Amino acid sequence: MAQPSSKQDELSFLDQEREFVVSGKDLWDWWQWARQEAIAYEISPNEADWLLQALTNLDRLALRLGSFQDRDQVQLKVPQHTLKSLWQQRIKQRVPVQYLVGETTWREFSLQVSPAVLIPRPETELLIDLAITHSPTHSCSHWTDLGTGSGAIALGLATAFPDATIHAVDVSAEALAIAQANAAAYQLIERIHFYQGSWLEPLSHLKGQLSGMVSNPPYIPSQQVLELQLEVTQHEPHLALDGGTDGLDCIRQLVAAAPDYLQSGGLWMVEMMAGQAEAVVDLLQQNGNYIDIQIHHDLAGIERFAIARRT
């Protein structure tokens, strides 16, 4: 078998429907070494567990008990040398483990991800809960997920509102391909319509018809993007992070454009970073087309979400 010639070639092994085997003792030795290396490089050793579970048929109990070390064979989704190489990329190049295995969990979904999309964060899950709590009562509604990335929010909305049509927009063709694959994996491809373009521009046919607009837009000030941890600055798409000088460029656009698309009482929802709540409230109030403006906290107590209704 030919050896991987590049990082992309190594990752391509994850897409192949084949299996490799390694002795339980060899895998145990690698796992113990990987956890120690993680500590040395100030990475959570649990990430070695996560990688191992993603690439084997081992569960948490088998790892906790270490019972697999007595097995003659353990099945791997990649060759053993690729497992070692992937972990080297994690600790030396700071590649997020989610990108190494090409997937991450979010709400009830296991989502395909790549460096073309932002890795969905747990705090963003609360946007779906807030949408359910504050949603207008329309049986056949239209919702949009702007800057859909992996499609996480779109899938969450489609599951939360089974009678709604979801319109997912992203400027990146690569991101849309991943979002469509994720929708197809959960049989939601017929209920989510995908558009390539900037924010609400591709949805001109839906002006005045949207029940809700949800977005996790770029909101980090440009300079701060460069100061984030290496996993983010070197590997996640800056297009999904950089919100301009003060971080509010995209949110300003959404405040200004959404009233033309939302129906009366329609919901406007965005995620933002700590310290932006006051500025976002001011933008909504100054626009004059929003009422019931609210700020909601994430599980860490940070003012993370802004919600308003179209007058």
Side-chain angles (χ1 to χ4, degrees):
M1 180 179 64
Q3 300 299 309
S5 58
S6 67
K7 174 182 173 181
Q8 186 60 45
D9 290 333
E10 287 183 335
L11 295 179
S12 70
F13 276 106
L14 302 179
D15 299 323
Q16 297 177 5
E17 293 295 329
R18 60 182 304 180
E19 291 181 336
F20 305 85
V21 295
V22 62
S23 74
K25 180 62 167 60
D26 284 348
L27 198 60
W28 165 271
D29 290 342
W30 175 85
W31 180 51
Q32 295 303 302
W33 168 84
R35 289 178 61 86
Q36 290 303 313
E37 286 289 284
I39 294 170
Y41 282 87
E42 299 182 340
I43 293 172
S44 170
N46 291 335
E47 292 199 21
D49 302 6
W50 201 92
L51 181 62
L52 201 56
Q53 284 183 255
L55 298 181
T56 68
N57 58 357
L58 300 176
D59 57 25
R60 289 184 181 179
L61 182 60
L63 288 180
R64 188 175 69 184
L65 299 178
S67 56
F68 66 91
Q69 66 179 310
D70 297 324
R71 298 185 190 179
D72 291 333
Q73 291 185 340
V74 177
Q75 294 176 331
L76 276 173
K77 295 179 182 179
V78 297
Q80 188 175 359
H81 65 79
T82 299
L83 173 64
K84 295 177 180 178
S85 177
L86 290 174
W87 189 245
Q88 286 295 310
Q89 291 174 37
R90 176 67 191 103
I91 62 176
K92 297 289 183 65
Q93 300 173 32
R94 314 301 286 198
V95 180
V97 69
Q98 294 92 334
Y99 289 157
L100 292 178
V101 299
E103 64 181 28
T104 192
T105 56
W106 193 84
R107 288 183 75 87
E108 67 266 40
F109 307 109
S110 178
L111 299 175
Q112 180 185 147
V113 293
S114 84
V117 300
L118 197 71
I119 298 168
R121 268 51 173 191
E123 56 264 28
T124 305
E125 296 181 10
L126 293 177
L127 272 174
I128 306 302
D129 297 320
L130 290 169
I132 293 170
T133 301
H134 295 273
S135 65
T137 55
H138 300 288
S139 58
C140 297
S141 55
H142 293 274
W143 287 74
T144 185
D145 170 21
L146 300 178
T148 192
S150 66
I153 291 174
L155 268 66
L157 291 173
T159 303
F161 304 115
D163 295 323
T165 299
I166 314 301
H167 305 271
V169 181
D170 205 290
V171 72
S172 166
E174 290 180 286
L176 283 174
I178 290 174
Q180 288 173 309
N182 285 326
Y186 287 93
Q187 293 77 51
L188 294 171
I189 196 69
E190 299 298 325
R191 295 196 38 235
I192 304 176
H193 299 172
F194 294 91
Y195 309 80
Q196 184 177 4
S198 177
W199 303 122
L200 287 153
E201 289 177 3
L203 305 181
S204 58
H205 60 293
L206 291 172
K207 284 189 175 181
Q209 299 182 49
L210 293 179
S211 298
M213 181 220 81
V214 185
S215 183
N216 178 16
Y219 52 66
I220 301 174
S222 301
Q223 183 57 43
Q224 289 188 36
V225 171
L226 304 177
E227 298 167 356
L228 298 172
Q229 62 192 69
L230 294 178
E231 285 83 350
V232 178
T233 60
Q234 293 186 4
H235 299 287
E236 297 202 67
H238 285 206
L239 182 66
L241 297 166
D242 192 336
T245 303
D246 63 356
L248 295 172
D249 284 1
C250 298
I251 293 178
R252 287 190 185 91
Q253 293 182 52
L254 296 176
V255 170
D260 288 338
Y261 294 81
L262 290 169
Q263 60 189 19
S264 178
L267 208 59
W268 184 97
M269 302 178 60
V270 300
E271 180 174 323
M272 59 193 172
M273 72 178 292
Q276 291 179 336
E278 183 177 352
V280 173
V281 169
D282 286 344
L283 288 170
L284 290 164
Q285 290 175 337
Q286 292 170 17
N287 181 276
N289 289 299
Y290 298 96
I291 57 173
D292 297 336
I293 300 169
Q294 301 178 28
I295 299 298
H296 291 266
H297 297 76
D298 63 17
L299 296 178
I302 296 171
E303 293 179 322
R304 180 68 66 184
F305 310 105
I307 300 178
R309 293 189 186 277
R310 174 75 165 90
T311 54

